Amino acid sequence: MLEPSLGKLAQKCIVLASGSPRRQHLLNLIGLNFKVIPSNFEENLDKKLFKSPSDYVKETAKQKAKSVAKKLLENGTPVDLVIGADTVVVLGDQILEKPNDERHAVQMLSSLSARSHYVCSGITLITDVKEENMNIVQFHEKTEVIMGELSQEVIEAYVKTGEPMDKAGSYPL
């Protein structure tokens, strides 16, 4: 789908508003050249103000991208595209983000074990960063995940590796 556009995109200044190694890897896989400028947006939006988890992740992704775009605009740094993203895990009506600590990670994984849940990602693309009225495009993806049963021993051993600490729902997808 992107193949016809990759030549044009190679000539553009693209910024990923995230320090996530997984997001960087995905952009590398599709052959994009980009700079990484992590957003300083504090992820503290009130989840209760949003109709759905998809609205919540889209708004968080937008705020991350806008924070980086505004910084670049203020510095006079030319950029063609800023990409922002956010991902959460949704279990019932509960939105799970990154765990606060190891105990929280164990609690999350225990609640997800042997259950169906959703992973929801929001993406924001900002172009025309040369102006205050930036062009903003947003979309989201929602994927059902059915997790196998995990023993308490497996969960605790996994959490001790430190891997779950920077991942929504305490696991990578």
Side-chain angles (χ1 to χ4, degrees):
M1 180 169 104
L2 276 175
E3 190 69 34
S5 301
L6 285 177
K8 290 178 186 176
L9 289 172
Q11 300 167 8
K12 302 291 183 184
C13 179
I14 300 172
V15 172
L16 174 62
S18 171
S20 165
R22 290 167 305 288
R23 291 191 178 106
Q24 292 172 39
H25 178 69
L26 289 172
L27 292 182
N28 282 321
L29 280 176
I30 60 175
L32 287 182
N33 294 319
F34 60 94
K35 297 176 190 174
V36 175
I37 302 177
S39 171
N40 60 5
F41 173 70
E42 194 171 326
E43 297 180 43
N44 60 0
L45 297 174
D46 185 352
K47 296 172 193 70
K48 295 178 200 132
L49 298 177
F50 297 90
K51 283 192 215 178
S52 67
S54 59
D55 289 340
Y56 173 75
V57 291
K58 286 192 297 187
E59 183 62 26
T60 302
K62 180 172 86 174
Q63 294 305 322
K64 289 177 179 181
K66 280 179 73 174
S67 135
V68 170
K70 284 180 181 178
K71 183 175 11 174
L72 292 167
L73 189 60
E74 288 168 6
N75 294 340
T77 306
V79 63
D80 297 300
L81 172 65
V82 177
I83 303 169
D86 190 50
T87 298
V88 296
V89 169
V90 182
L91 179 63
D93 60 358
Q94 186 179 14
I95 295 176
L96 305 177
E97 296 185 271
K98 296 172 187 166
N100 300 324
D101 53 33
E102 287 187 1
R103 191 174 64 93
H104 191 213
V106 167
Q107 182 182 45
M108 281 187 192
L109 290 166
S110 297
S111 69
L112 295 169
S113 176
R115 295 186 67 189
S116 170
H117 59 278
Y118 291 92
V119 174
C120 189
S121 293
I123 308 293
T124 296
L125 307 173
I126 298 180
T127 58
D128 297 326
V129 181
K130 326 174 226 346
E131 308 167 8
E132 272 302 314
N133 296 330
M134 302 172 200
N135 182 37
I136 297 175
V137 175
Q138 294 184 279
F139 59 94
H140 75 277
E141 284 295 326
K142 181 178 169 183
T143 304
E144 182 179 15
V145 175
I146 302 171
M147 187 176 282
E149 188 168 349
L150 303 171
S151 70
Q152 198 63 26
E153 185 178 271
V154 166
I155 291 171
E156 289 173 8
Y158 174 62
V159 169
K160 284 189 194 308
T161 69
E163 176 144 345
M165 302 315 295
D166 67 341
K167 294 165 183 67
S170 299
Y171 76 94
L173 184 64

